[in-house]
Amino acid sequence: MRSEAGGRRPENTLTIYEKSREGRRAFVSPELDVPEIPISDLLPSDLLRSEPPELPEISEPEIVRHYNGLSKKNFDLDTGFYPLGSCTMKHNPKLNERVAALPGFSRLHPLQEPQYAQGALELMWRLQRQLSEVAGLPHVSLQPSAGSHGELAGLLLTRAYHEDNGEQRTKVLTPDTAHGTNPATVTMSGYEVVKVGTAEDGGVDLDDLRDKAGDDTACLMLTNPNTLGLFDRNIEEIARIVHDAGATLYYDGANLNAVLGISRPGDMGFDIVHFNLHKTFTQPHGGGGPGAGPIAVSDRIEPYLPRPQVVRREGANGHSEPFFDLDFERPKSIGRLRGFQGNFGVFVRSYAYICSVGGDGLKDVSETAVLNANYLRARLAEPGIAEYLPIAFDRLCMHEFVLSGRGARDKLGIRTLDIAKRLLDHKVHPPTVYFPLLVDEALMIEPTETETKERLDGFADAIREILEEAKEDPEIAKNAPYTTPVRRLDEAAAARHPVVRQARPEAGGRRAEGGAPSATPSPSI
Amino acid sequence: MAEESYPDGLLYHPEHDWAKVDGDTATFGVTWYAQDQLGEVVFYDPPDVGTQVNANSAYAEVESVKAVSDVFAPMSGEVTEVNEALKEAPEKINDDPYGEGWMVRVRLSDPSEADSLMDVNAYKESLGR
Amino acid sequence: MSRYTSATDADRREMLDAIGVGSVEELFRDIPEPVRQREPIAMPDGMAEQDVYDHLRALASRNRDAEQEVTFAGGGMYDHYVPALIDSILQRSEFLTPYTPYQPEISQGGLQVMFEFQTAISELTGLPVANASMYEGPSSVASAGYMARLDNGRSKFVVSRGVHPNSRETLATYAHAFGSEVVEVPLDGRGATHLGALAAAVDDDTSAVILQQPNFLGTVEDLGPLAEAAKRTGAVLVCAVDPLTLGILRPPGEFGVDVAVGEGQSLGNRLDFGGPSFGFYAATEKFLRRMPGRIAGETVDVDGKRGFVLTLQTREQHIRREKATHNICTAQALNALAGVIYLSWLGKRGVVELGELMLRRTAYAREALGAELVNPGPVVREFAIRLPNLDEVCERARAEGINPGHRLRYYYPEYEDCLLVAITERRTRKDIDRLAEIVQGAREEVHA
């Protein structure tokens, strides 16, 4: 297999700091059109910086080449299939980028007074109405910055609700299949995590839930469909148990892409929902953000929503036109979760997306996402694959499904990680691996609605090929990948002796202590 | 990583920890099986000298790249020494789990707790070895 | 069929056959009838691309943006020039459309960007370690408070009234949940944190002391004595900093600050009505394993070739779950990329030159406006003035296409008739003179 690797040429891995040369520049300062007062007259010397920060000295063409070069070392959604489970890697429409860049949005100052920001506030209000309709819950706050921030909002709202009712509840229930953000958020919110088990069919274990839901329970956090891609058939009973205990029911919207126009969290009995605009509503992921995590809530939770809230005032100020405003007068509000009005640029993209597909299109989105997932599930249940990668729960799935790599491990001696790495050589992003935790050697696959049947077939073929190849020689997968900009990286070394910044240049061009690990050829600056 | 082994003369705890008792003091560490399950150890967070540890309770954490595990005390007592070398070289826990990978030394508060621990044969049997 | 899906009727039939069901409807049979959505979504049908564009453009046209007016608004986000190369690089799909880099072999671009970003933040703040981004400024302040609470278990935050009001409110929101108290230290008569009051507020139960440099009024705080008073009982010293002033201001790391956080918008990010931008988080070595968020680290691959990975992940929610140092997952990677490109564009000398330009133009503006200064001490690009006829000034300015700045009355009732004015490098002497004319014109009218 080394021959395949033989085609790789060593690539430039210098950082931008290592490309710096004294005297180069990209920035030219605007003209000084005011008196040149000595800096020492304007700032006391003990507050002045003595040495400039070691930022690079580099020209514009070289900056562009540097980042262009780096971009080519990334695999991305516009290049190929990205079935990363629970991440909803659907196409990011190009129109959204164009409208988000309109100066009326992108150049609008966050403290602009509402009378001069009517278009922005109206857009936010309209998005709130759209999300409310999708959730089946009457009130929306757009403020949280991402899914986990929405979760935090949800638990702070839960706390405010119980406190307002004179109750001090201490525990939050999360299923053992939950995303890690759920338990982490519980702790940050000052609550204690209580895990609820999973039943034979992949849903919540109702007996366990009945045992654990009590008058100290503040909330149950659930995603439905769950992280196994299964819709919990007992959702009504779950809601009954939780509400009878006096707790709130929280919907983690990570998997909302399965149920648009099909079933609304509000109708399932949820009190609080968060959306991931960067999953369901096409905000590009940006290599790790930005996103946005708006929340929708029921009437009983509404008084506590974060402030400010975007509102529409009918015919205010003597105008017949409605006036869109920021409402700060919310005495029971949990307060702010961040600065200003939230990730507005994300709202513009998601609003444009929802307008583009419309009510009919949203339902088509979920139907196609579920069709694609089930089709791929069926393709991967064919002989030659299923004996190595059996499905974890053999039912119709929703928008995603989970396979177990235990067959491949036991029969072929390759692990899920090896399959994932070998997929990289097939120019496909691997599924989410080793999650959810209760499935041995898990592969979690979410194709999304924007993929064609041919792409799904191509993925199934790649999996089959990898397994067949492993029957002949498991070492191929175990040492994959071969065609990527780098091969398997030493993550243990990175964690044992963390090098988390570029070393500063020292006199004589040597890199300072704490620079690159000794195994790295040390490029001179 | 080291070859699989379980030395004679150590006492074993079901959470895959070992104790080497010498009168009223003991040295603790984790077994080959434990380090194998964990994978490459990248960080060891020891207790402070002087800390009281209790049998069957966690006294330290070890981390691999993608997991964190509690380390359980096989017996109770006061920590008199921690293996400082693991700060710089936590991989010793993988390379030499019964030697340079030792974790703490403890002045035992109840040496008779040794009676509840397994000998090497019982431990191997519990592993199905 | 919406234009972003592509299953044809023929595809659908073939796929349903392979699945072994008769209809798409059947795929949803697990969903109990009572929770089914029976009515269509109450929303108009989808629109053609050009119609969506026209609709959004009409909404955009009802905002007064910084292209249409001369803005002196600041208060946490600023009208700095964003160089064109940022737009061009950020629209590359390889940066725009991947997920968080979970597969390092095919994510070296994003990971190296994170590493370079961490380096730039470390350089600016004078602190050795930084993460790869937070959501934005105020929630980064709150997150620093949470880390202090986990670190020392103490239950009180002492926060200067000079810290951005949104940061103080966000901190209070978070602190209520994990049971910490927030105590505010007032500003003195010169718009700086009251040193005596700070010293008196700090006690053995103080978990963190939180300052901002420059503070919300633009005052450059005298961090030396404040830091000394703050750290007397071993509290974590957190300082929210404006990164674009750090080319000329002494960095927080040199004052003994333990954690420097802040809002990154001024570094090459759009105004965007408040987001998305990015937050940053830098700290002393001691807190490396307690920090929130992603951290990229350098390593080598099996062939010995240099590469980058997400490291120290055992801090994070997906591994440590309820014991995680924070719940953050998706952050602001693309905005942080804009930040590091911007800092490379400015460069080692530009960051100083830009700071000096702002400093001098701001000094000129303070003089030219000729109004009473709320904070007469040193400032970099922002300052507050008291204008007895503030309504008049604002009205006139607006009529001339000028946004005169942020009125302080909502967040600071004690500064009822005061205006916060920001002078970025985009505000020329001519712009400043126009505002000065309005301020003085309004004053003459009052006196007449």
Side-chain angles (χ1 to χ4, degrees):
Chain A
M1 285 316 298
R2 277 312 175 98
S3 62
E4 219 177 296
R8 292 183 312 126
R9 269 197 301 256
E11 282 177 58
N12 192 337
T13 60
L14 297 182
T15 66
I16 196 150
Y17 304 95
E18 291 159 337
K19 293 177 179 174
S20 174
R21 293 292 180 278
E22 197 180 333
R24 288 189 185 147
R25 61 159 60 230
F27 170 76
V28 175
S29 178
E31 189 197 348
L32 183 67
D33 50 5
V34 296
E36 192 170 355
I37 303 170
I39 298 303
S40 55
D41 290 359
L42 296 172
L43 279 178
S45 59
D46 59 332
L47 295 173
L48 262 179
R49 185 160 194 142
S50 54
E51 291 290 326
E54 283 296 337
L55 297 175
E57 294 183 82
I58 187 160
S59 63
E60 168 163 332
E62 286 304 312
I63 298 174
V64 170
R65 284 202 181 134
H66 179 74
Y67 288 106
N68 240 19
L70 287 186
S71 79
K72 288 167 199 272
K73 298 185 189 182
N74 279 353
F75 180 85
D76 70 294
L77 177 60
D78 282 2
T79 298
F81 189 39
Y82 216 122
L84 196 60
S86 102
C87 299
T88 313
M89 297 299 284
K90 60 166 76 177
H91 173 65
N92 305 139
K94 300 303 157 191
L95 167 68
N96 301 355
E97 296 306 310
R98 176 177 286 177
V99 291
L102 289 169
F105 297 136
S106 65
R107 299 273 294 119
L108 183 60
H109 193 279
L111 292 173
Q112 183 62 289
E113 286 171 20
Q115 67 185 103
Y116 302 112
Q118 283 296 291
L121 293 169
E122 180 175 346
L123 183 147
M124 290 174 72
W125 184 84
R126 284 168 170 266
L127 179 61
Q128 287 177 186
R129 300 322 320 142
Q130 290 172 335
L131 295 176
S132 161
E133 168 62 22
V134 165
L137 288 165
H139 312 283
V140 170
S141 165
L142 300 177
Q143 201 178 93
S145 308
S148 56
H149 209 210
E151 292 175 29
L152 181 64
L155 290 188
L156 296 176
L157 290 169
T158 290
R159 176 177 286 283
Y161 167 76
H162 291 309
E163 285 177 355
D164 201 27
N165 290 324
E167 291 194 313
Q168 296 295 327
R169 292 171 177 250
T170 55
K171 291 176 177 154
V172 172
L173 308 179
T174 63
D176 53 10
T177 53
H179 294 125
T181 50
N182 291 176
T185 304
V186 172
T187 305
M188 257 184 110
S189 310
Y191 286 116
E192 187 190 327
V193 177
V194 176
K195 270 190 232 169
V196 181
T198 298
E200 290 280 302
D201 68 350
V204 169
D205 181 335
L206 288 180
D207 291 334
D208 198 33
L209 178 63
R210 282 191 199 97
D211 279 354
K212 287 171 179 165
D215 54 14
D216 58 353
T217 306
C219 179
L220 168 67
M221 301 180 87
L222 203 63
T223 172
N224 194 22
N226 64 19
T227 54
L228 298 163
L230 305 174
F231 193 94
D232 204 310
R233 294 180 276 219
N234 298 317
I235 186 61
E236 295 161 281
E237 181 60 14
I238 292 168
R240 201 170 301 128
I241 294 167
V242 171
H243 287 150
D244 284 351
T248 62
L249 188 55
Y250 181 88
Y251 186 92
D252 178 330
N255 297 338
L256 195 69
N257 208 46
V259 293
L260 302 168
I262 309 282
S263 179
R264 307 194 300 178
D267 299 337
M268 298 180 212
F270 286 91
D271 300 283
I272 307 166
V273 170
H274 89 251
F275 304 85
N276 297 83
L277 297 189
H278 46 297
K279 294 181 180 176
T280 321
F281 298 105
T282 70
Q283 162 66 30
H285 282 77
I295 46 172
V297 303
S298 59
D299 285 327
R300 63 173 177 158
I301 304 296
E302 188 275 339
Y304 317 104
L305 280 178
R307 68 176 162 234
Q309 183 68 346
V310 176
V311 293
R312 175 182 145 126
R313 303 192 199 282
E314 297 303 331
N317 301 341
H319 296 284
S320 55
E321 290 284 295
F323 185 77
F324 296 91
D325 205 357
L326 292 171
D327 181 13
F328 288 86
E329 300 308 314
R330 302 186 52 80
K332 290 189 172 183
S333 167
I334 56 169
R336 277 188 174 277
L337 290 156
R338 54 160 291 158
F340 306 117
Q341 287 79 237
N343 278 343
F344 177 78
V346 177
F347 308 153
V348 176
R349 291 175 178 87
S350 292
Y351 178 69
Y353 171 68
I354 295 173
C355 290
S356 293
V357 296
D360 55 336
L362 286 177
K363 189 171 184 190
D364 177 52
V365 160
S366 286
E367 287 182 344
T368 310
V370 171
L371 177 70
N372 277 356
N374 276 290
Y375 175 69
L376 188 53
R377 183 185 57 81
R379 287 295 323 269
L380 297 175
E382 290 171 5
I385 300 176
E387 55 268 49
Y388 305 110
L389 301 176
I391 186 144
F393 291 84
D394 194 7
R395 296 164 42 177
L396 283 178
C397 65
M398 298 295 284
H399 65 303
E400 67 187 358
F401 56 96
V402 179
L403 304 181
S404 167
R406 65 174 187 270
R409 180 194 57 203
D410 297 346
K411 295 174 189 164
L412 302 174
I414 60 170
R415 314 247 341 231
T416 284
L417 183 71
D418 304 321
I419 297 171
K421 296 303 181 195
R422 188 62 177 139
L423 275 170
L424 302 178
D425 290 323
H426 286 260
K427 310 294 175 223
V428 169
H429 196 286
T432 296
V433 294
Y434 299 101
F435 186 83
L437 306 175
L438 84 167
V439 176
D440 201 12
E441 297 281 320
L443 292 112
M444 184 191 203
I445 303 171
E446 180 181 10
T448 85
E449 74 278 7
T450 59
E451 299 298 334
T452 61
K453 176 173 172 295
E454 301 89 282
R455 298 257 175 222
L456 306 178
D457 288 332
F459 180 77
D461 293 345
I463 292 280
R464 180 185 298 277
E465 226 172 279
I466 291 169
L467 294 170
E468 270 166 17
E469 178 187 74
K471 270 183 248 173
E472 301 296 316
D473 181 3
E475 291 306 308
I476 297 173
K478 280 171 145 171
N479 293 306
Y482 305 92
T483 58
T484 47
V486 292
R487 299 183 57 214
R488 286 194 204 192
L489 289 146
D490 191 344
E491 297 190 46
R496 280 176 186 150
H497 302 287
V499 178
V500 299
R501 55 153 294 170
Q502 174 76 47
R504 299 192 83 171
E506 276 184 6
R510 274 197 46 236
R511 299 179 74 195
E513 188 80 14
S518 55
T520 311
S522 191
S524 59
I525 295 176
Chain B
M1 286 202 191
E3 289 285 303
E4 180 165 9
S5 69
Y6 304 98
D8 288 337
L10 301 183
L11 295 171
Y12 293 89
H13 183 270
E15 292 284 352
H16 312 291
D17 305 275
W18 55 262
K20 185 178 184 191
V21 179
D22 183 7
D24 65 350
T25 65
T27 306
F28 296 167
V30 299
T31 66
W32 184 92
Y33 179 85
Q35 66 79 32
D36 185 58
Q37 288 289 304
L38 197 60
E40 287 180 275
V41 176
V42 299
F43 186 64
Y44 167 63
D45 189 12
D48 293 331
V49 168
T51 307
Q52 288 295 325
V53 301
N54 298 313
N56 308 314
S57 297
Y59 69 88
E61 272 185 358
V62 282
E63 295 182 8
S64 63
V65 172
K66 286 183 180 156
V68 184
S69 293
D70 285 331
V71 183
F72 286 81
M75 303 172 74
S76 309
E78 182 189 330
V79 176
T80 57
E81 195 182 345
V82 302
N83 187 352
E84 296 287 341
L86 296 181
K87 273 188 194 159
E88 273 306 300
E91 59 270 26
K92 289 180 193 293
I93 293 168
N94 299 120
D95 297 341
D96 190 7
Y98 306 105
E100 287 187 13
W102 67 274
M103 287 177 171
V104 290
R105 286 196 222 288
V106 172
R107 187 177 305 111
L108 298 173
S109 53
D110 180 6
S112 75
E113 284 174 343
D115 300 343
S116 62
L117 296 172
M118 292 177 273
D119 67 8
V120 64
N121 292 327
Y123 181 63
K124 276 187 182 169
E125 197 174 323
S126 75
L127 294 177
R129 297 295 198 273
Chain C
M1 183 167 96
S2 80
R3 62 176 171 276
Y4 306 130
T5 54
S6 42
T8 65
D9 288 342
D11 289 339
R12 213 167 265 132
R13 269 194 307 276
E14 240 179 286
M15 293 162 83
L16 289 170
D17 283 349
I19 299 165
V21 295
S23 68
V24 169
E25 180 64 21
E26 252 184 82
L27 298 173
F28 294 95
R29 67 188 177 204
D30 278 347
I31 303 182
E33 204 47 50
V35 304
R36 289 290 187 98
Q37 185 167 353
R38 275 172 291 264
E39 301 293 320
I41 299 179
M43 234 182 257
D45 283 353
M47 292 159 74
E49 176 166 333
Q50 64 178 43
D51 295 338
V52 179
Y53 177 78
D54 288 344
H55 171 52
L56 273 285
R57 203 174 58 90
L59 285 171
S61 73
R62 294 175 51 218
N63 300 319
R64 200 182 277 187
D65 64 67
E67 301 281 295
Q68 295 171 319
E69 63 179 12
V70 172
T71 185
F72 292 90
M77 290 203 176
Y78 301 89
D79 179 27
H80 288 287
Y81 183 72
V82 177
L85 84 169
I86 290 183
D87 296 355
S88 151
I89 295 169
L90 258 62
Q91 281 301 313
R92 290 190 68 84
S93 68
E94 299 90 337
F95 286 130
L96 185 66
T97 69
Y99 203 74
T100 299
Y102 290 144
Q103 297 290 340
E105 296 88 346
I106 52 165
S107 311
Q108 283 301 297
L111 286 160
Q112 186 172 328
V113 165
M114 289 179 178
F115 183 81
E116 293 179 358
F117 172 83
Q118 291 162 195
T119 306
I121 296 301
S122 166
E123 279 298 327
L124 285 178
T125 58
L127 286 163
V129 295
N131 77 7
S133 78
M134 303 291 285
Y135 302 136
E136 46 83 67
S139 55
S140 307
V141 170
S143 297
Y146 184 60
M147 189 186 78
R149 166 86 195 212
L150 290 182
D151 181 59
N152 57 30
R154 300 180 187 180
S155 65
K156 190 165 95 176
F157 297 131
V158 172
V159 56
S160 163
R161 192 162 170 75
V163 172
H164 195 298
N166 288 176
S167 300
R168 281 182 281 131
E169 189 176 348
T170 303
L171 177 72
T173 304
Y174 278 50
H176 176 72
F178 50 79
S180 287
E181 176 199 4
V182 180
V183 175
E184 200 167 282
V185 175
L187 298 177
D188 63 18
R190 294 169 60 83
T193 301
H194 195 296
L195 177 61
L198 180 97
V202 173
D203 62 21
D204 290 342
D205 196 34
T206 302
S207 179
V209 175
I210 302 170
L211 303 169
Q212 181 174 314
Q213 179 75 319
N215 74 19
F216 188 74
L217 302 181
T219 310
V220 178
E221 299 271 12
D222 192 4
L223 275 187
L226 288 171
E228 200 185 315
K231 298 194 77 165
R232 199 174 40 85
T233 64
V236 176
L237 177 56
V238 177
C239 191
V241 290
D242 176 344
L244 207 44
T245 64
L246 289 174
I248 51 171
L249 289 183
R250 196 169 153 201
E254 291 184 19
F255 289 102
V257 167
D258 298 294
V259 183
V261 293
E263 168 57 55
Q265 180 272 333
S266 62
L267 304 178
N269 275 256
R270 299 165 171 175
L271 288 165
D272 269 340
F273 200 39
S277 57
F278 67 89
F280 56 87
Y281 197 113
T284 54
E285 198 90 46
K286 179 191 165 196
F287 292 111
L288 177 60
R289 287 174 190 275
R290 290 195 174 269
M291 293 187 22
R294 314 289 185 192
I295 298 175
E298 184 176 332
T299 187
V300 291
D301 77 358
V302 290
D303 297 332
K305 187 172 171 183
R306 185 187 200 181
F308 301 89
V309 293
L310 291 179
T311 194
L312 304 172
Q313 292 188 66
T314 47
R315 297 165 298 114
E316 294 188 65
Q317 45 77 27
H318 60 287
I319 293 176
R320 206 180 279 261
R321 298 175 74 83
E322 66 267 23
K323 289 183 187 166
T325 60
H326 200 280
N327 72 340
I328 191 167
C329 182
T330 288
Q332 308 278 143
L334 192 71
N335 305 91
L337 168 61
V340 72
I341 299 169
Y342 183 78
L343 288 168
S344 303
W345 178 77
L346 268 188
K348 180 178 177 176
R349 289 181 301 158
V351 73
V352 179
E353 292 166 5
L354 186 63
E356 292 180 352
L357 180 68
M358 292 195 295
L359 198 60
R360 289 182 171 126
R361 284 212 184 137
T362 303
Y364 175 79
R366 285 219 286 193
E367 191 78 35
L369 296 182
E372 182 193 336
L373 299 175
V374 173
N375 49 340
V379 298
V380 177
R381 72 138 118 59
E382 201 162 21
F383 58 97
I385 50 176
R386 181 166 279 120
L387 294 170
N389 52 349
L390 182 56
D391 286 341
E392 171 79 16
V393 168
C394 291
E395 206 171 299
R396 284 190 180 205
R398 289 295 191 171
E400 293 196 25
I402 293 174
N403 179 344
H406 173 64
R407 298 182 69 154
L408 286 168
R409 62 188 173 191
Y410 177 72
Y411 289 119
Y412 293 88
E414 67 270 37
Y415 301 131
E416 164 70 33
D417 52 355
C418 298
L419 188 68
L420 184 64
V421 180
I423 311 290
T424 69
E425 81 285 3
R426 298 190 79 150
R427 296 294 77 83
T428 61
R429 179 179 188 151
K430 219 171 106 191
D431 295 335
I432 296 165
D433 289 344
R434 279 181 69 196
L435 181 62
E437 223 170 274
I438 291 165
V439 167
Q440 279 158 17
R443 180 186 304 145
E444 277 155 22
E445 220 155 87
V446 169
H447 290 176

